[in-house]
C-alpha cells in the first residue's frame, strides 16, 4: 500500500502579521513540524522576513489579483 502524503498550504497576503497570526504560524510550524509547508503569496509580495522566522519548504507566487478579495 502506498503511503499518503500531505503538505500544509499557508496563504500569505501581508508581512505585517498580528500577534495572533504570529502565534498561529508558530503553532502550525511546531505541531505540524513533520510535514512540508508551502506559502502561497501574491507575486509582488516580498516575504523574505517572514521566511526567516517561518522557513517554509516551498513558496508559490500567484497573480496579485487572486489576493484582492474573497472572490480571488
Amino acid at each position: 500500500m502506498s503511503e499518503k502524503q500531505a503538505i500544509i498550504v499557508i496563504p500569505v497576503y501581508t508581512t505585517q502579521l498580528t500577534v495572533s497570526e504570529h502565534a498561529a504560524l508558530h503553532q502550525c510550524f511546531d505541531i505540524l513540524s513533520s510535514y512540508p509547508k508551502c506559502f502561497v503569496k501574491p507575486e509582488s509580495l516580498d516575504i523574505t522576513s517572514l521566511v526567516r522566522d517561518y522557513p517554509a519548504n516551498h513558496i508559490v507566487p500567484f497573480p496579485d489579483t487572486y489576493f484582492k478579495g474573497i472572490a480571488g
Side-chain angles (χ1 to χ4, degrees):
M1 182 183 293
S2 66
E3 183 178 319
K4 292 183 180 182
Q5 296 182 1
I7 186 167
I8 309 306
V9 177
I10 305 165
V12 178
Y13 61 91
T14 182
T15 56
Q16 305 285 322
L17 302 182
T18 66
V19 172
S20 296
E21 290 167 333
H22 275 289
L25 275 177
H26 179 76
Q27 188 75 345
C28 174
F29 276 75
D30 186 39
I31 299 297
L32 302 172
S33 62
S34 63
Y35 293 94
K37 274 62 133 218
C38 174
F39 283 130
V40 174
K41 69 173 201 80
E43 288 175 325
S44 66
L45 183 64
D46 179 8
I47 63 169
T48 304
S49 60
L50 190 65
V51 174
R52 258 192 306 258
D53 294 332
Y54 307 101
N57 304 87
H58 306 281
I59 299 170
V60 179
F62 279 87
D64 290 356
T65 56
Y66 291 158
F67 293 85
K68 296 210 182 282
I70 297 297

